[in-house]
Amino acid sequence: MKLILCLFITILIIGCDDYKSDDYNVYVENASGQDIYACCGYFYPDTTFQRYIYKPEIKNNSKNIALPYNRVFVLRPEIREDTLSVFIISSDAMEKCSWNDIASDYNILCRYDLSGNDIKQLNSTIPYPPSPAMKDMKMYPPYEEVIKQNE
C-alpha cells in the first residue's frame, strides 16, 4: 500500500511540473556601454516603482533575468493582458544614491511599458538601449530620445 501511495504521489508531482523553470523568464540585455540595473513588475499605471524590489545588475554586453519564472499560470508574461513596466537604472545611480532618492528623483535611464505581445515579439529578451523593433512600443523617455542619449 505504501508503495502504491508513493508511486501515486511521485506521478502527481511529476505531472504538475509541465514547464521548464527557465521557459518564461524575462531577460534584459545590456548593450549600452555601461553597467545597469533593471527592475520590473505588473503595477502599471503606477510608475513610481516603489514596489519594484528585485533589481538584478546587468553588466555591459551581457543579459540577466529581470523577471524570474513564476509557476503561477496567470502571472506568466506571455498570457498577461496588462502591462509589464521595466525600469533601467544606471549602476552609478544605484551605487551613489539611496533607493528612495532614485525613486523620488525618478533617476532612471528608461522605462518600458510592455504588453504580453511586446514581450513575445522580443522573445522575452528586452534590449537596452531599445532595438528598432521597439520603436513603437511604449517607453519613457520616447524611443528617439533614448537612442540619442546612447549615441
Coordinates of all heavy atoms in Angstrom, one line a residue, residues 61-133:
N61 N 27.3 44.4 -22.2 CA 27.4 43.3 -23.1 C 27.0 41.9 -22.5 O 27.7 40.9 -22.8 CB 28.8 43.2 -23.8 CG 29.0 44.4 -24.6 OD1 28.2 44.8 -25.4 ND2 30.2 45.0 -24.5
S62 N 26.0 41.9 -21.7 CA 25.5 40.7 -21.1 C 24.0 40.8 -20.9 O 23.4 41.8 -21.1 CB 26.2 40.3 -19.8 OG 25.9 41.3 -18.8
K63 N 23.4 39.7 -20.5 CA 22.0 39.8 -20.1 C 21.8 39.0 -18.8 O 22.6 38.2 -18.4 CB 21.1 39.2 -21.3 CG 21.1 37.7 -21.5 CD 20.1 37.4 -22.6 CE 19.9 35.9 -22.7 NZ 19.0 35.6 -23.8
N64 N 20.7 39.4 -18.2 CA 20.3 38.8 -16.9 C 18.8 38.7 -16.8 O 18.1 39.4 -17.5 CB 20.9 39.6 -15.8 CG 21.1 38.8 -14.5 OD1 20.6 37.7 -14.3 ND2 21.8 39.4 -13.5
I65 N 18.4 37.9 -15.9 CA 16.9 37.7 -15.6 C 16.4 39.0 -14.9 O 17.0 39.4 -13.9 CB 16.6 36.5 -14.8 CG1 17.0 35.2 -15.5 CG2 15.2 36.5 -14.4 CD1 17.0 34.0 -14.6
A66 N 15.4 39.6 -15.5 CA 14.8 40.8 -14.8 C 13.5 40.4 -14.2 O 13.1 41.0 -13.2 CB 14.5 41.9 -15.9
L67 N 12.8 39.4 -14.7 CA 11.6 38.9 -14.1 C 11.7 37.3 -14.0 O 11.6 36.7 -15.1 CB 10.4 39.3 -14.9 CG 9.0 38.9 -14.3 CD1 8.7 39.6 -13.0 CD2 7.9 39.2 -15.3
P68 N 12.0 36.8 -12.9 CA 12.1 35.3 -12.8 C 10.8 34.6 -13.1 O 9.7 35.1 -12.9 CB 12.5 35.1 -11.3 CG 13.0 36.4 -10.8 CD 12.2 37.4 -11.6
Y69 N 11.0 33.4 -13.7 CA 9.9 32.5 -14.0 C 9.0 32.4 -12.8 O 9.4 32.3 -11.6 CB 10.5 31.1 -14.3 CG 9.5 30.0 -14.4 CD1 8.8 29.8 -15.5 CD2 9.4 29.1 -13.4 CE1 7.9 28.8 -15.7 CE2 8.5 28.1 -13.5 CZ 7.7 27.9 -14.6 OH 6.9 26.8 -14.7
N70 N 7.7 32.3 -13.0 CA 6.7 32.2 -12.0 C 5.8 31.0 -12.4 O 5.2 31.0 -13.4 CB 5.9 33.5 -11.8 CG 5.1 33.5 -10.6 OD1 4.5 32.5 -10.2 ND2 5.0 34.6 -10.0
R71 N 5.7 30.1 -11.5 CA 4.9 28.9 -11.8 C 3.4 29.1 -11.7 O 2.6 28.3 -12.1 CB 5.2 27.8 -10.8 CG 6.6 27.2 -11.0 CD 6.9 26.1 -10.0 NE 8.2 25.6 -10.2 CZ 8.5 24.5 -10.8 NH1 7.6 23.7 -11.3 NH2 9.8 24.1 -10.9
V72 N 3.0 30.3 -11.2 CA 1.5 30.6 -11.2 C 1.1 31.0 -12.6 O 1.5 32.0 -13.1 CB 1.2 31.7 -10.2 CG1 -0.3 32.0 -10.2 CG2 1.7 31.3 -8.8
F73 N 0.2 30.2 -13.2 CA -0.1 30.3 -14.6 C -0.5 31.8 -15.0 O -0.1 32.3 -16.0 CB -1.2 29.4 -15.0 CG -1.6 29.4 -16.4 CD1 -0.7 28.8 -17.4 CD2 -2.8 29.9 -16.9 CE1 -1.0 28.8 -18.7 CE2 -3.1 29.9 -18.2 CZ -2.2 29.3 -19.1
V74 N -1.3 32.4 -14.2 CA -1.9 33.7 -14.6 C -0.8 34.8 -14.5 O -1.0 35.9 -15.0 CB -3.1 34.2 -13.7 CG1 -4.2 33.2 -13.9 CG2 -2.7 34.2 -12.2
L75 N 0.4 34.5 -14.0 CA 1.4 35.5 -13.9 C 2.5 35.4 -15.0 O 3.4 36.2 -15.1 CB 2.2 35.5 -12.5 CG 1.3 35.9 -11.3 CD1 2.1 35.8 -10.1 CD2 0.7 37.3 -11.5
R76 N 2.3 34.4 -15.9 CA 3.3 34.3 -17.0 C 3.1 35.4 -17.9 O 2.0 35.8 -18.4 CB 3.0 33.0 -17.7 CG 3.4 31.8 -16.8 CD 3.3 30.5 -17.6 NE 3.8 29.4 -16.7 CZ 3.3 28.2 -16.8 NH1 2.4 27.9 -17.7 NH2 3.7 27.3 -16.0
P77 N 4.2 36.1 -18.3 CA 4.2 37.3 -19.1 C 3.5 37.1 -20.5 O 2.9 38.0 -21.0 CB 5.7 37.7 -19.3 CG 6.4 37.0 -18.2 CD 5.6 35.8 -17.9
E78 N 3.6 35.9 -21.0 CA 3.1 35.7 -22.4 C 1.6 35.7 -22.4 O 1.0 35.8 -23.5 CB 3.7 34.5 -23.0 CG 3.1 33.2 -22.6 CD 3.5 32.7 -21.2 OE1 4.3 33.4 -20.5 OE2 3.0 31.6 -20.8
I79 N 0.9 35.5 -21.3 CA -0.6 35.5 -21.3 C -1.2 36.7 -20.5 O -2.4 36.8 -20.4 CB -1.1 34.2 -20.7 CG1 -0.7 34.0 -19.2 CG2 -0.7 33.0 -21.5 CD1 -1.5 32.9 -18.5
R80 N -0.3 37.5 -19.9 CA -0.8 38.7 -19.2 C -1.5 39.7 -20.2 O -0.9 39.9 -21.3 CB 0.3 39.4 -18.4 CG 0.9 38.6 -17.3 CD 0.0 38.5 -16.1 NE -0.3 39.8 -15.6 CZ -0.3 40.1 -14.3 NH1 0.0 39.2 -13.4 NH2 -0.5 41.3 -13.9
E81 N -2.6 40.3 -19.8 CA -3.2 41.3 -20.7 C -2.8 42.7 -20.2 O -3.0 43.6 -20.9 CB -4.7 41.1 -20.7 CG -5.1 39.9 -21.4 CD -6.6 39.7 -21.5 OE1 -7.3 40.7 -21.2 OE2 -7.1 38.6 -21.8
D82 N -2.2 42.8 -19.0 CA -1.8 44.1 -18.5 C -0.4 44.4 -18.9 O 0.2 43.6 -19.6 CB -2.1 44.3 -17.1 CG -1.6 43.2 -16.2 OD1 -1.0 42.2 -16.7 OD2 -1.7 43.3 -15.0
T83 N 0.2 45.4 -18.3 CA 1.5 46.0 -18.7 C 2.6 45.6 -17.8 O 2.4 45.7 -16.6 CB 1.3 47.5 -18.8 OG1 0.3 47.8 -19.8 CG2 2.6 48.1 -19.3
L84 N 3.7 45.2 -18.3 CA 4.9 44.9 -17.6 C 5.8 46.2 -17.7 O 6.1 46.6 -18.8 CB 5.7 43.7 -18.1 CG 7.1 43.5 -17.4 CD1 6.9 43.0 -16.0 CD2 7.8 42.4 -18.2
S85 N 6.1 46.8 -16.6 CA 6.9 48.0 -16.6 C 8.3 47.5 -16.2 O 8.5 46.8 -15.2 CB 6.5 49.0 -15.5 OG 5.2 49.6 -15.9
V86 N 9.3 48.0 -17.0 CA 10.7 47.6 -16.8 C 11.5 48.9 -16.7 O 11.5 49.8 -17.6 CB 11.3 46.8 -18.0 CG1 12.8 46.5 -17.7 CG2 10.5 45.6 -18.2
F87 N 12.1 49.1 -15.5 CA 12.9 50.3 -15.3 C 14.4 50.0 -15.4 O 14.9 49.1 -14.8 CB 12.6 50.8 -13.8 CG 11.2 51.2 -13.6 CD1 10.3 50.3 -13.2 CD2 10.8 52.6 -13.8 CE1 8.9 50.7 -13.0 CE2 9.5 53.0 -13.6 CZ 8.6 52.0 -13.2
I88 N 15.1 50.8 -16.2 CA 16.5 50.7 -16.4 C 17.2 51.8 -15.6 O 16.9 53.0 -15.8 CB 16.9 50.8 -17.9 CG1 16.1 49.8 -18.7 CG2 18.4 50.6 -18.1 CD1 16.3 48.3 -18.4
I89 N 18.1 51.4 -14.7 CA 18.8 52.4 -13.8 C 20.3 52.2 -14.0 O 20.8 51.1 -14.0 CB 18.4 52.1 -12.4 CG1 16.8 52.2 -12.2 CG2 19.0 53.1 -11.4 CD1 16.3 51.6 -11.0
S90 N 21.0 53.3 -14.0 CA 22.5 53.2 -14.2 C 23.1 52.6 -12.9 O 22.6 52.9 -11.8 CB 23.1 54.5 -14.5 OG 23.1 55.4 -13.4
S91 N 24.2 51.9 -13.0 CA 24.9 51.4 -11.9 C 25.4 52.5 -11.0 O 25.5 52.4 -9.8 CB 26.1 50.5 -12.3 OG 25.6 49.2 -12.7
D92 N 25.9 53.6 -11.7 CA 26.3 54.8 -10.9 C 25.3 55.3 -10.0 O 25.5 55.6 -8.8 CB 26.8 55.9 -11.9 CG 28.1 55.7 -12.5 OD1 28.8 54.7 -12.1 OD2 28.4 56.4 -13.5
A93 N 24.0 55.4 -10.5 CA 22.9 55.9 -9.6 C 22.7 54.9 -8.5 O 22.5 55.4 -7.3 CB 21.7 56.1 -10.4
M94 N 22.7 53.6 -8.7 CA 22.5 52.6 -7.7 C 23.6 52.7 -6.6 O 23.3 52.5 -5.5 CB 22.4 51.2 -8.3 CG 21.1 51.0 -9.1 SD 19.6 51.0 -8.1 CE 19.7 49.4 -7.4
E95 N 24.8 52.9 -7.0 CA 25.9 53.0 -6.1 C 26.0 54.2 -5.3 O 26.4 54.3 -4.2 CB 27.2 52.7 -6.8 CG 27.4 51.3 -7.4 CD 28.5 51.1 -8.4 OE1 29.3 52.0 -8.5 OE2 28.5 50.0 -9.0
K96 N 25.6 55.4 -5.9 CA 25.8 56.7 -5.3 C 24.5 57.2 -4.6 O 24.7 58.1 -3.7 CB 26.2 57.7 -6.3 CG 27.6 57.4 -6.9 CD 28.0 58.4 -8.0 CE 29.3 58.0 -8.6 NZ 29.6 58.8 -9.8
C97 N 23.4 56.7 -4.9 CA 22.1 57.2 -4.3 C 21.4 56.1 -3.6 O 21.5 54.9 -3.9 CB 21.2 57.7 -5.5 SG 22.0 58.9 -6.5
S98 N 20.6 56.5 -2.6 CA 19.7 55.6 -2.0 C 18.6 55.2 -2.9 O 18.2 56.0 -3.8 CB 19.2 56.2 -0.7 OG 18.2 57.2 -0.9
W99 N 17.9 54.1 -2.6 CA 16.8 53.7 -3.4 C 15.7 54.7 -3.3 O 15.0 55.0 -4.3 CB 16.3 52.3 -2.9 CG 15.1 51.8 -3.7 CD1 13.9 51.6 -3.2 CD2 15.1 51.4 -5.1 NE1 13.1 51.1 -4.2 CE2 13.8 51.0 -5.3 CE3 16.0 51.4 -6.1 CZ2 13.4 50.5 -6.6 CZ3 15.6 51.0 -7.3 CH2 14.3 50.6 -7.6
N100 N 15.5 55.3 -2.2 CA 14.4 56.4 -2.0 C 14.8 57.6 -2.9 O 13.9 58.2 -3.5 CB 14.3 56.8 -0.6 CG 13.5 55.7 0.2 OD1 12.8 54.9 -0.3 ND2 13.8 55.7 1.5
D101 N 16.1 58.0 -2.9 CA 16.4 59.1 -3.8 C 16.2 58.8 -5.2 O 15.7 59.7 -6.0 CB 17.9 59.5 -3.5 CG 18.1 60.2 -2.2 OD1 17.1 60.6 -1.6 OD2 19.3 60.2 -1.7
I102 N 16.6 57.6 -5.7 CA 16.4 57.2 -7.1 C 14.9 57.3 -7.4 O 14.5 57.8 -8.4 CB 17.0 55.8 -7.3 CG1 18.5 55.8 -7.3 CG2 16.5 55.3 -8.7 CD1 19.1 54.5 -7.3
A103 N 14.1 56.8 -6.5 CA 12.6 56.7 -6.7 C 12.0 58.1 -6.7 O 11.3 58.5 -7.6 CB 11.9 55.8 -5.7
S104 N 12.4 58.9 -5.7 CA 11.8 60.3 -5.6 C 12.2 61.2 -6.7 O 11.5 62.1 -7.2 CB 12.0 60.9 -4.2 OG 13.4 61.1 -4.0
D105 N 13.5 61.1 -7.2 CA 14.0 61.9 -8.3 C 13.7 61.3 -9.6 O 14.0 61.9 -10.7 CB 15.5 62.1 -8.1 CG 15.9 62.9 -6.9 OD1 15.0 63.6 -6.3 OD2 17.0 62.8 -6.5
Y106 N 13.1 60.1 -9.7 CA 12.9 59.4 -10.9 C 14.2 59.3 -11.7 O 14.2 59.6 -12.9 CB 11.7 60.0 -11.7 CG 10.9 58.9 -12.4 CD1 10.2 57.9 -11.7 CD2 10.9 58.9 -13.8 CE1 9.5 57.0 -12.4 CE2 10.1 57.9 -14.5 CZ 9.4 57.0 -13.8 OH 8.7 56.0 -14.4
N107 N 15.2 58.9 -11.1 CA 16.6 58.9 -11.7 C 16.7 57.5 -12.4 O 17.4 56.6 -12.0 CB 17.6 59.0 -10.6 CG 19.0 59.2 -11.1 OD1 19.2 59.2 -12.3 ND2 20.0 59.2 -10.2
I108 N 16.1 57.5 -13.6 CA 16.1 56.3 -14.4 C 16.7 56.6 -15.8 O 16.6 57.8 -16.2 CB 14.8 55.6 -14.6 CG1 13.8 56.5 -15.3 CG2 14.2 55.2 -13.2 CD1 12.5 55.9 -15.7
L109 N 17.2 55.6 -16.5 CA 17.7 55.8 -17.8 C 16.5 55.7 -18.8 O 16.4 56.4 -19.8 CB 18.7 54.8 -18.2 CG 20.0 54.9 -17.4 CD1 21.0 53.7 -17.7 CD2 20.7 56.2 -17.8
C110 N 15.6 54.7 -18.5 CA 14.5 54.4 -19.3 C 13.4 53.6 -18.6 O 13.8 52.8 -17.7 CB 14.9 53.7 -20.6 SG 13.7 53.4 -21.8
R111 N 12.2 53.7 -19.0 CA 11.1 52.9 -18.5 C 10.4 52.3 -19.7 O 9.9 53.1 -20.6 CB 10.1 53.6 -17.6 CG 9.0 52.7 -17.1 CD 7.9 53.5 -16.4 NE 7.0 54.0 -17.4 CZ 6.6 55.3 -17.5 NH1 7.0 56.2 -16.6 NH2 5.7 55.7 -18.4
Y112 N 10.3 51.0 -19.8 CA 9.5 50.4 -20.8 C 8.2 49.9 -20.2 O 8.1 49.4 -19.1 CB 10.2 49.1 -21.4 CG 11.6 49.3 -22.0 CD1 12.6 48.6 -21.5 CD2 11.8 50.1 -23.0 CE1 13.9 48.7 -22.0 CE2 13.0 50.3 -23.6 CZ 14.1 49.5 -23.1 OH 15.3 49.7 -23.7
D113 N 7.1 50.1 -20.9 CA 5.7 49.6 -20.5 C 5.3 48.7 -21.6 O 4.8 49.1 -22.6 CB 4.8 50.8 -20.4 CG 5.2 51.7 -19.2 OD1 5.7 51.2 -18.2 OD2 5.0 53.0 -19.4
L114 N 5.5 47.4 -21.4 CA 5.4 46.4 -22.4 C 4.1 45.5 -22.2 O 3.9 45.0 -21.1 CB 6.6 45.5 -22.5 CG 7.9 46.3 -22.7 CD1 9.1 45.4 -22.6 CD2 7.9 47.0 -24.0
S115 N 3.5 45.2 -23.3 CA 2.3 44.2 -23.2 C 2.9 42.8 -23.4 O 4.1 42.6 -23.7 CB 1.4 44.5 -24.4 OG 2.0 44.2 -25.6
G116 N 2.0 41.8 -23.1 CA 2.4 40.5 -23.4 C 2.9 40.2 -24.8 O 3.8 39.5 -25.0
N117 N 2.2 40.8 -25.8 CA 2.6 40.7 -27.2 C 3.9 41.3 -27.4 O 4.7 40.8 -28.2 CB 1.5 41.3 -28.1 CG 0.3 40.4 -28.2 OD1 0.4 39.2 -28.0 ND2 -0.8 41.0 -28.5
D118 N 4.2 42.5 -26.8 CA 5.6 43.1 -26.9 C 6.6 42.1 -26.4 O 7.7 41.9 -27.1 CB 5.6 44.4 -26.1 CG 4.8 45.5 -26.7 OD1 4.4 45.5 -27.8 OD2 4.5 46.4 -25.9
I119 N 6.4 41.5 -25.3 CA 7.4 40.6 -24.7 C 7.6 39.4 -25.6 O 8.7 38.9 -25.9 CB 6.9 40.1 -23.3 CG1 7.0 41.4 -22.4 CG2 7.8 39.0 -22.8 CD1 6.3 41.2 -21.1
K120 N 6.5 38.9 -26.2 CA 6.6 37.8 -27.2 C 7.4 38.2 -28.4 O 8.3 37.5 -28.9 CB 5.2 37.3 -27.7 CG 4.5 36.4 -26.8 CD 3.2 35.9 -27.5 CE 2.2 35.4 -26.6 NZ 1.0 35.0 -27.2
Q121 N 7.1 39.4 -28.9 CA 7.8 39.9 -30.1 C 9.3 40.0 -29.8 O 10.1 39.8 -30.7 CB 7.3 41.3 -30.5 CG 7.9 41.8 -31.8 CD 7.2 43.2 -32.1 OE1 6.2 43.6 -31.7 NE2 7.9 43.9 -33.0
L122 N 9.7 40.3 -28.6 CA 11.1 40.4 -28.2 C 11.7 39.1 -27.8 O 12.9 39.1 -27.3 CB 11.3 41.5 -27.1 CG 10.8 42.9 -27.5 CD1 10.8 43.8 -26.3 CD2 11.8 43.5 -28.5
N123 N 11.0 38.0 -27.9 CA 11.4 36.7 -27.4 C 11.9 36.7 -26.0 O 12.9 36.1 -25.6 CB 12.5 36.2 -28.3 CG 12.1 35.9 -29.7 OD1 11.0 35.4 -29.9 ND2 12.9 36.3 -30.7
S124 N 11.1 37.4 -25.2 CA 11.4 37.5 -23.7 C 12.7 38.1 -23.4 O 13.2 38.0 -22.2 CB 11.2 36.2 -23.0 OG 9.9 35.8 -23.2
T125 N 13.4 38.8 -24.3 CA 14.7 39.5 -24.0 C 14.5 40.9 -24.4 O 14.4 41.3 -25.6 CB 15.8 38.8 -24.8 OG1 15.9 37.5 -24.4 CG2 17.1 39.5 -24.5
I126 N 14.5 41.8 -23.4 CA 14.3 43.2 -23.6 C 15.7 43.9 -23.7 O 16.5 43.9 -22.8 CB 13.5 43.8 -22.4 CG1 12.2 43.1 -22.3 CG2 13.3 45.3 -22.6 CD1 11.5 43.2 -21.0
P127 N 16.0 44.5 -24.8 CA 17.3 45.2 -25.0 C 17.3 46.6 -24.4 O 16.3 47.3 -24.4 CB 17.5 45.2 -26.5 CG 16.1 45.3 -27.1 CD 15.2 44.5 -26.1
Y128 N 18.5 46.9 -23.9 CA 18.8 48.3 -23.6 C 20.1 48.7 -24.1 O 21.1 48.0 -23.8 CB 18.8 48.6 -22.1 CG 19.0 50.1 -21.8 CD1 18.0 51.0 -22.0 CD2 20.3 50.6 -21.5 CE1 18.3 52.4 -21.9 CE2 20.5 51.9 -21.4 CZ 19.5 52.8 -21.5 OH 19.8 54.2 -21.4
P129 N 20.2 49.7 -25.0 CA 19.2 50.6 -25.4 C 18.2 49.8 -26.3 O 18.5 48.7 -26.8 CB 19.9 51.7 -26.2 CG 21.3 51.2 -26.4 CD 21.5 50.1 -25.5
P130 N 17.0 50.4 -26.5 CA 16.0 49.7 -27.3 C 16.4 49.4 -28.7 O 17.1 50.2 -29.3 CB 14.8 50.7 -27.2 CG 15.3 52.0 -26.9 CD 16.6 51.8 -26.1
S131 N 15.9 48.3 -29.2 CA 16.2 47.9 -30.6 C 15.2 48.6 -31.5 O 14.1 49.1 -31.0 CB 16.1 46.4 -30.7 OG 14.7 46.0 -30.5
P132 N 15.4 48.6 -32.8 CA 14.5 49.2 -33.7 C 13.1 48.5 -33.7 O 12.1 49.2 -33.9 CB 15.1 49.0 -35.1 CG 16.6 49.0 -34.8 CD 16.7 48.3 -33.5
A133 N 13.1 47.3 -33.3 CA 11.8 46.6 -33.1 C 10.9 47.2 -32.0 O 9.7 47.0 -32.0 CB 12.0 45.1 -32.8

